[in-house]
Amino acid sequence: FRSVVWAFNGSCCITLVGCLRAKDGTITTVSGLEGWHNTQLRSIDAKGTAVGVYEDAGGIQRAFVRSPEGILTQFAPLANVLTVDITSSGNGTIAGSYYDPDSDQYLGFLQNADGSLTTFGDPEHTGDFFHVAVNDNGWITGWYQISRQPGFIRRPSGKFTILKRGVSNSINSSEAVSGFQSKSAFVRSKNGEIMEVHMPVDKSFVEWTVLNDSRVLAGTFCEKDVCRFQEDDGFVAYPLQ
């Protein structure tokens, strides 16, 4: 088992470096290749292949892949475009979002384990930024950046469901989705049932969630209206039935 965390290099939190944490607690930092800045690992699959983003010399965010042996390469399908987000599932499926200069829109993409690539727009065709997460079955969840930041689920068939509750940012192999809305986290089952998870401290603001196949929910929250990374606390809710 390995996990991906973000870390700061320096007390001023100016330069980001990625970190891999092994089961025995060993941490490996990933600072990128020459000319890369603000390297961030976003996820890792069961074989140890990790994906992330970095800024090039011109300040453009690009996607990369890190092999289990530690070799870093650009994510080839998006080598020449601004990549907003990238994530992977346990079986090597990769998804994310990027800016398409030809259409002047932000689009999503899904690369299956066999290398086939599909691109798609957000459910309401706004062309605005959106974050995505993917499970082993090719189901995608995320949100797009319009005023109410609606969450969505995209089935492998391409059919969308727009969620009426908060920002969704994780989906497990049972198609249960987790996300957050201001002061609480939530888990939505495949059939649409919602379970709300409140933080251990009053007036806390949830910032991120992740849900695994055992329905263990983890994430971060802070106790202020404006949060900074160094002020975040983590939480684990186990198990959610």
Side-chain angles (χ1 to χ4, degrees), residues 137-230:
N137 306 318
W139 287 59
I140 291 173
T141 193
W143 80 87
Y144 44 108
Q145 189 76 10
I146 60 177
S147 59
R148 66 186 190 281
Q149 287 190 323
F152 68 85
I153 297 172
R154 181 185 186 274
R155 291 168 172 79
S157 64
K159 181 181 178 181
F160 281 100
T161 298
I162 298 177
L163 305 181
K164 298 179 180 180
R165 183 185 188 90
V167 170
S168 56
N169 60 0
S170 180
I171 184 167
N172 69 11
S173 294
S174 299
E175 283 72 59
V177 167
S178 72
F180 56 93
Q181 185 174 30
S182 185
K183 298 180 182 181
S184 63
F186 68 86
V187 174
R188 179 190 185 274
S189 67
K190 186 176 181 179
N191 64 11
E193 296 178 353
I194 299 290
M195 173 178 289
E196 195 167 13
V197 180
H198 296 280
M199 295 301 99
V201 180
D202 290 339
K203 300 181 180 180
S204 297
F205 287 82
V206 182
E207 294 189 297
W208 204 255
T209 67
V210 62
L211 181 71
N212 71 9
D213 289 344
S214 299
R215 293 183 66 85
V216 177
L217 179 70
T220 60
F221 70 97
C222 71
E223 301 177 40
K224 298 182 179 181
D225 291 348
V226 178
C227 303
R228 299 180 177 89
F229 283 115
Q230 67 267 34

Side-chain angles (χ1 to χ4, degrees), residues 54-62 81-83:
Y54 69 94
E55 291 182 9
D56 64 15
I60 304 300
Q61 187 162 283
R62 313 286 191 185
V81 299
L82 185 156
T83 305

